[in-house]
Amino acid sequence: MVRALTTFPVIPSLPDALAPLAELATNLRWAWSPRTRELFRWAGATEWDRSDGNPVELLGRLSSERLAELAGDAGFVQAVAQCHEELQHALTQPRWAQGRPGAPPLVAYFSPEFGITAVMPTYSGGLGVLAGDHLKAASDLGLPLVGVGLLYRAGYFRQQLDADGWQQEAYPDLNPHQLPLTALTRPDGTPLTVEVPMAGRRAAAAVWLAQVGRVPLLLLDTDVAANDPADRGITDRLYGGDAEHRLRQELVLGIGGVRALRAAADAGVLQALGGPPQVFHSNEGHAGFLGLERMREHVAAGHPVDTALEATRAATLFTTHTPVGAGIDKFPRDLIEAYLAEPAAACGLDVDGLMDIGRLGDEADVFNMAAFGLRLSAHANGVSKLHGQVARRMFAPLWPSLEPDEVPIDTVTNGVHAATWIGPEQRDVYDRHLPPDWLRNPEAWAQVDQIPDEVLWRARSRARERLVAEVRRRVRAQAERRGERAGTLGWIDELLDPDALTIGFARRFAEYKRGALLLRKPERLRALLCDPDRPVQLVFAGKAHPRDQIGKDIIRELVRLAAGDPALRSRMVFVADFDMELAAELYAGCDVWLNTPRRPFEACGTSGQKAVLNGALHCSVLDGWWDELYDGDNGFAIGGRDEAGDAEQQDAADAQAAFDVLERSVVPRFYDRSESPLPRRWLATVRHSLATLASPVLAATMVQRYVVEHYEPLAAHSDRLLADDATGAADLAAWKHRIETAWPEVAVLELAAQEGPAVKGERREVAATVRLGELAADDVVVEALHGPVRADGTIDEPRRLVLRPVDGVAAGRLRVGGAFTCDVAGEYGVAARVRPDHPDLSRDMELGLVAWADGTALRPEAEAGGEHG
Ligand SMILES: *Cc1c(COP(=O)(O)O)cnc(C)c1O
């Protein structure tokens, strides 16, 4: 073998009539345009299959003769023109964002993984697919947004299973020139690179551009000739390697990512979006060093470090995705010293100062990327209501004086990109029976009642048949790859029944997701699956992280149970090599989507949302999004909201509950054909599920919320702080410093509320005296909190009343007062507190400082650690 010294791309030469194919292939909008993908298949079905649905590779494979033939085919040329016009519309028409008051801010969205299409294996699971859906929805909404991530040369692994069910991992060797990517170049045509400080060295990263509809996605790649060999491998594998390797990847993503944005702006890539970026969104903590690099920019512009920190925070949103402490990236101090001393120094910080920004609670000498991300963000959110609650407890140590409910972490519930995930059968139904703009108008879903039973059932049945055929094809291919002889594979023709109730379970095989929950009761499982009149079948798929032995064991257990029992073998299957393509087939073809996480560890979960959009019913533990959107009748709940505390007990109870709901509700409803050959009750539930769930689970809904609740307010906030050479940021930093110094003196000295019984509806006066020490009256707000009192003496969902000064500050003391209405009968309580207040705070509780009147603190000290931390 000969290794090439230099390489260069050879671009297929397209006849003029087919010239638009080049843009159609490189703009990833084909990932959500079935019509464009059909066009590529038309160009060459064999080549399309050989290139695994990658149009760039397809164009390279088509012979000159074939291209000439296509150029002479008027029908094909016309179809090319139509697809190209569809693309131009998608890229240029005014959309939702253009109707917003004021120009929407340009947002830079950072994520360690992006799942756009199976063709680009730069994702491992839900986090990456969510990021991909975010970009696609942003493009559909006309939102100016640019993605920033890493191009992993070996992506995420391909999974094979050996005969025993052990997962085998094979890493593909990606050739970026064969992918829908363009290398950014300097004006002289040489590849554009950015430099990242790497423990005394400089690592260079090339910047690839993937165009996702309107949204450019910048992917950094350290496999460049100029690098030290060790640095060439930094962006080798997604989530590969040890902590040091992770840290090196995160330096490239965060610091290199910001530099790539600046370089892309210089190269004109962001021009169409009105750059430079105003808001930075960090999807999980891995990209957190983007904050450090932006601080450095402010420091380099002449600002002191405190001002730089305020200016950076003001434009940053941090989204947390994990309710498990172990799921957060943490680095020991020695690694931080080795790799971050230099970037920190460039911000005017020493290592101690940096460690302080990354500390969670009393974890000394541990640098916590989530804590770092939260301290450098003015806004933060979890990804479902329940997860928001868990995240507020988990990160409460960052705001030790606050009641967990007041920890400034909001919620934006995740959603999924409809055009990517709805299969052809169901898409056809919606095209015919919903208003024509159903893909862009969430209100269209109110009309699912218009879909006749016959139509809905035919689509569901066809999708199930297609899934069964696809599973058989894949299982056969897997067996052949393992070298099993053709003569022994006859059983695959009988694998799954196109008419049987089909339940899907496919996702990463992490322990908390409990892929083998139903295996706790093998006899009950067998009875469920092998019922001769009402058969049920289970389709599993998913990868375990290469170092996750427990996940691998679960996969093996599933494979072996099916393989070892001829009766089960046709009803239960594990399909290898789960990726976005297999995922889409499963969401489209299953009747029920099963989700069995250990509550509350599934921050949101999005696979069920995709299945629901396809007319499947969700059957899930009340965790993540299901906890907030299950209405009792739009799917099925496994168990209730109690958490047993003990994992083993919870697993046993949930397994029991899962069988109960499957046996008593799911199966009888699916097979109830008493009124007609169609399962009318089932179909009514499907319609109700779509009517109540489709709109809230759309990625468009999620992205609109991010815009309205976070991107726009952050842009306005940072504009204010950055105006006049960042005067606002400097003032805010100085004010915070003054408050923090003076705060120990601040106290509520006295709270006087009228005593004696009140009649419901009566106004009650309350007055307080606070000690302000060095502070002025307008540095603080004094609040009365009032409401009905629970048995333990705490106030239930307290209402807040701002108490106004009754006269000026005298001897460092301020008297305040106000009145409220007692509108709930029963025992009623009042408390008072004082907190800092400034017009430029992005959140009331941003500083985490409050002083309570003695004895009224709502938060018992014992709870301070948070129960999930
Ligand atoms: C949607 C999706 C997921 C998310 O699965 P959950 O367990 O619901 O979070 C994972 N992998 C792929 C390929 C997906 O499309």
Side-chain angles (χ1 to χ4, degrees):
M1 282 202 279
V2 182
R3 187 166 173 86
L5 272 183
T6 65
T7 64
F8 52 89
V10 177
I11 298 140
S13 114
L14 294 168
D16 283 351
L18 304 183
L21 280 177
E23 190 186 357
L24 285 169
T26 45
N27 192 313
L28 282 151
R29 187 159 189 286
W30 55 256
W32 68 106
S33 166
R35 190 209 279 210
T36 310
R37 289 200 304 276
E38 272 314 304
L39 181 78
F40 292 131
R41 171 177 294 283
W42 182 357
T46 318
E47 291 85 352
W48 178 246
D49 288 341
R50 285 230 181 96
S51 31
D52 288 324
N54 172 0
V56 172
E57 199 178 324
L58 165 91
L59 293 186
R61 283 177 185 268
L62 292 175
S63 66
S64 313
E65 294 76 39
R66 177 63 182 157
L67 286 169
E69 192 186 339
L70 289 167
D73 177 341
F76 186 79
V77 171
Q78 198 194 351
V80 170
Q82 279 172 354
C83 285
H84 193 246
E85 195 184 309
E86 180 190 294
L87 176 62
Q88 295 313 312
H89 268 209
L91 300 185
T92 54
Q93 275 189 340
R95 293 288 171 82
W96 177 82
Q98 282 65 45
R100 299 289 302 159
L106 174 59
V107 177
Y109 183 93
F110 282 64
S111 175
E113 40 174 319
F114 283 94
I116 316 279
T117 149
V119 168
M120 291 214 307
T122 46
Y123 65 93
S124 75
L127 182 75
V129 176
L130 176 83
D133 281 6
H134 195 102
L135 302 195
K136 292 169 180 174
S139 175
D140 292 347
L141 293 167
L143 191 73
L145 189 130
V146 48
V148 182
L150 299 179
L151 182 70
Y152 304 95
R153 282 301 180 109
Y156 201 57
F157 68 89
R158 306 281 309 252
Q159 177 195 54
Q160 288 171 25
L161 298 173
D162 72 10
D164 244 0
W166 286 118
Q167 169 178 296
Q168 314 289 311
E169 295 118 25
Y171 285 86
D173 203 355
L174 287 192
N175 177 355
H177 295 291
Q178 295 259 20
L179 293 172
L181 296 172
T182 335
L184 292 191
T185 51
R186 297 200 185 86
D188 65 359
T190 56
L192 186 154
T193 55
V194 294
E195 288 198 331
V196 183
M198 201 54 71
R201 286 199 303 277
R202 296 268 170 283
V207 185
W208 297 90
L209 170 70
Q211 192 64 39
V212 186
R214 298 183 191 213
V215 172
L217 167 59
L218 308 177
L219 296 170
L220 288 93
D221 170 12
T222 60
D223 190 9
V224 297
N227 271 341
D228 188 285
D231 294 340
R232 288 189 77 150
I234 294 176
T235 52
D236 55 355
R237 295 175 177 182
L238 175 54
Y239 303 144
D242 55 10
E244 182 167 0
H245 193 72
R246 277 284 265 276
L247 180 61
R248 288 151 58 86
Q249 290 189 334
E250 295 183 10
L251 286 166
V252 174
L253 176 61
I255 296 180
V258 174
R259 295 183 179 179
L261 276 174
R262 305 306 182 205
D266 290 344
V269 173
L270 306 184
Q271 221 150 40
L273 302 176
Q278 272 178 283
V279 173
F280 292 76
H281 185 171
S282 183
N283 188 39
E284 252 308 334
H286 311 76
F289 295 127
L290 74 90
L292 199 60
E293 172 64 4
R294 287 169 47 237
M295 276 178 67
R296 188 197 60 78
E297 292 178 332
H298 290 298
V299 169
H303 297 295
V305 60
D306 291 352
T307 307
L309 189 131
E310 288 306 329
T312 298
R313 274 176 53 89
T316 314
L317 167 65
F318 176 78
T319 299
T320 167
H321 288 266
T322 173
V324 200
I328 300 174
D329 270 330
K330 292 175 201 153
F331 298 111
R333 185 188 168 104
D334 56 343
L335 276 184
I336 296 293
E337 255 164 18
Y339 283 91
L340 280 126
E342 183 191 338
C347 297
L349 285 168
D350 58 13
V351 171
D352 286 334
L354 189 69
M355 291 297 295
D356 283 344
I357 306 180
R359 177 167 300 114
L360 181 65
D362 51 13
E363 285 182 338
D365 289 337
V366 177
F367 189 88
N368 181 309
M369 288 302 281
F372 187 70
L374 287 166
R375 286 208 179 85
L376 288 185
S377 308
H379 284 201
N381 72 288
V383 292
S384 69
K385 283 185 184 158
L386 179 62
H387 175 237
Q389 279 171 27
V390 174
R392 287 189 283 276
R393 291 200 159 65
M394 183 167 165
F395 295 113
L398 262 71
W399 293 270
S401 314
L402 298 188
E403 160 94 2
D405 284 347
E406 290 195 311
V407 164
I409 298 177
D410 305 334
T411 285
V412 176
T413 302
N414 284 341
V416 299
H417 186 247
T420 296
W421 295 111
I422 296 175
E425 297 83 4
Q426 206 68 17
R427 185 186 264 262
D428 194 50
V429 171
Y430 301 149
D431 278 342
R432 282 165 204 270
H433 296 275
L434 294 183
D437 62 348
W438 66 272
L439 259 178
R440 265 191 284 137
N441 173 13
E443 277 157 35
W445 295 96
Q447 296 189 39
V448 288
D449 278 347
Q450 310 290 319
I451 306 173
D453 278 351
E454 289 69 19
V455 171
L456 189 53
W457 185 241
R458 205 178 320 121
R460 300 298 316 137
S461 304
R462 289 219 178 119
R464 191 186 316 106
E465 279 162 29
R466 190 165 57 87
L467 174 64
V468 168
E470 180 58 28
V471 168
R472 287 177 187 167
R473 188 189 68 74
R474 284 178 181 259
V475 170
R476 179 175 299 278
Q478 273 165 237
E480 286 170 357
R481 219 173 297 130
R482 275 199 301 266
E484 290 176 29
R485 280 178 303 110
T488 63
L489 303 181
W491 67 276
I492 296 177
D493 297 332
E494 307 288 311
L495 173 61
L496 303 185
D497 173 350
D499 295 317
L501 169 57
T502 305
I503 303 180
F505 181 102
R507 45 178 60 86
R508 282 185 308 113
F509 269 70
E511 188 190 8
Y512 78 89
K513 290 177 181 270
R514 298 189 298 187
L517 189 69
L518 297 180
L519 268 54
R520 294 179 66 100
K521 301 187 178 293
E523 281 320 307
R524 226 168 146 182
L525 178 61
R526 172 186 261 274
L528 180 78
L529 300 189
C530 301
D531 184 316
D533 302 321
R534 303 188 304 180
V536 174
Q537 53 201 11
L538 275 166
V539 186
F540 290 95
K543 297 171 178 174
H545 187 280
R547 281 193 304 269
D548 178 5
Q549 203 51 42
I550 295 175
K552 290 185 184 180
D553 280 339
I554 298 175
I555 293 175
R556 182 158 172 269
E557 218 184 320
L558 290 168
V559 173
R560 286 176 50 124
L561 180 74
D565 185 331
L568 282 183
R569 187 167 71 167
S570 62
R571 295 260 176 265
M572 187 177 147
V573 59
F574 192 101
V575 188
D577 205 22
F578 184 57
D579 66 2
M580 287 179 70
E581 191 184 324
L582 174 56
E585 283 156 8
L586 290 165
Y587 304 139
C590 287
D591 299 292
V592 170
W593 198 254
L594 183 67
N595 185 40
T596 53
R598 204 175 274 148
R599 191 179 194 268
F601 290 128
E602 191 62 83
C604 180
T606 48
S607 57
Q609 301 179 331
K610 301 169 204 165
V612 158
L613 288 181
N614 278 286
L617 294 179
H618 201 214
C619 179
S620 170
V621 169
L622 288 170
D623 198 5
W625 72 281
W626 198 230
D627 184 64
E628 89 197 46
L629 288 173
Y630 173 64
D631 74 356
D633 201 31
N634 54 5
F636 306 97
I638 297 173
R641 292 191 164 86
D642 295 335
E643 285 153 32
D646 169 73
E648 171 57 29
Q649 267 175 14
Q650 196 180 340
D651 293 358
D654 288 346
Q656 171 95 17
F659 278 106
D660 286 351
V661 72
L662 289 169
E663 291 162 355
R664 292 177 201 161
S665 302
V666 179
V667 175
R669 198 172 308 178
F670 185 84
Y671 284 107
D672 176 1
R673 315 283 160 101
S674 53
E675 291 170 41
S676 86
L678 301 182
R680 301 224 179 256
R681 273 205 315 137
W682 184 268
L683 293 168
T685 312
V686 170
R687 271 190 296 264
H688 180 60
S689 152
L690 287 167
T692 54
L693 301 173
S695 163
V697 305
L698 296 176
T701 305
M702 164 184 78
V703 171
Q704 285 171 326
R705 284 193 58 192
Y706 275 117
V707 172
V708 174
E709 295 168 29
H710 299 291
Y711 298 161
E712 288 177 347
L714 284 170
H717 180 55
S718 80
D719 277 356
R720 240 182 4 256
L721 293 199
L722 289 177
D724 297 329
D725 199 21
T727 313
D731 290 351
L732 184 60
W735 177 82
K736 281 189 181 177
H737 187 69
R738 187 161 65 79
I739 296 288
E740 274 158 6
T741 313
W743 201 254
E745 284 302 305
V746 175
V748 179
L749 297 177
E750 191 192 342
L751 169 67
Q754 239 172 298
E755 308 230 337
V759 180
K760 189 173 158 193
E762 192 178 310
R763 301 266 306 156
R764 274 289 156 112
E765 304 275 334
V766 51
T769 306
V770 294
R771 186 177 66 215
L772 292 182
E774 301 289 307
L775 299 183
D778 60 3
D779 286 330
V780 300
V781 157
V782 186
E783 288 174 327
L785 287 90
H786 61 100
V789 173
R790 286 185 282 233
D792 65 359
T794 60
I795 301 175
D796 194 17
E797 294 181 19
R799 271 154 270 191
R800 283 153 65 156
L801 167 74
V802 173
L803 302 179
R804 303 283 170 204
V806 290
D807 44 29
V809 180
R813 294 181 179 209
L814 178 70
R815 291 200 307 134
V816 292
F820 60 86
T821 308
C822 312
D823 51 11
V824 182
E827 196 182 0
Y828 209 87
V830 186
R833 68 177 181 190
V834 54
R835 61 175 168 84
D837 185 46
H838 189 281
D840 282 337
L841 286 182
S842 58
R843 287 286 183 267
D844 284 354
M845 291 302 179
E846 183 172 330
L847 269 73
L849 296 174
V850 280
W852 292 96
D854 265 355
T856 60
L858 295 186
R859 184 177 177 196
E861 282 309 313
E863 226 188 286
E867 58 198 70
H868 302 285

